[in-house]
Amino acid sequence: MGKIEKCVEIICEKGCQYVRKDIDLLEAGKSFDEVEGLTDDEKQMVLKELKSIMSVYGDSCRVDFS
């Protein structure tokens, strides 16, 4: 598994609401632990993948009980 896919997997494991927060951070050009060390292009790839994944949920997330 490549580092982009691994990063996306780790972010998604945090749950829907956290993924949306991380998308907002990436869109604002901010960094956080899971993307630390990635290039700007790699961060954009992560952002694109996260947005694609989250598009199936629309504007809502199912309740996370973790």
Side-chain angles (χ1 to χ4, degrees):
M1 179 181 297
K3 64 180 170 179
I4 301 302
E5 294 83 7
K6 183 67 176 169
C7 181
V8 168
E9 181 180 319
I10 291 168
I11 292 170
C12 288
E13 287 175 358
K14 297 191 303 183
C16 181
Q17 292 164 341
Y18 286 100
V19 173
R20 291 191 189 280
K21 181 181 139 221
D22 289 349
I23 287 172
D24 289 343
L25 289 171
L26 287 168
E27 287 180 329
K30 297 182 180 174
S31 194
F32 48 95
D33 289 344
E34 289 81 6
V35 298
E36 200 64 43
L38 296 181
T39 67
D40 288 340
D41 287 341
E42 290 169 332
K43 289 176 186 176
Q44 288 303 307
M45 292 169 64
V46 168
L47 175 60
K48 182 178 177 182
E49 186 65 25
L50 291 174
K51 288 175 115 180
S52 175
I53 292 167
M54 294 307 292
S55 70
V56 300
Y57 293 101
D59 291 332
S60 63
C61 295
R62 63 178 175 76
V63 176
D64 290 325
F65 293 105
S66 51

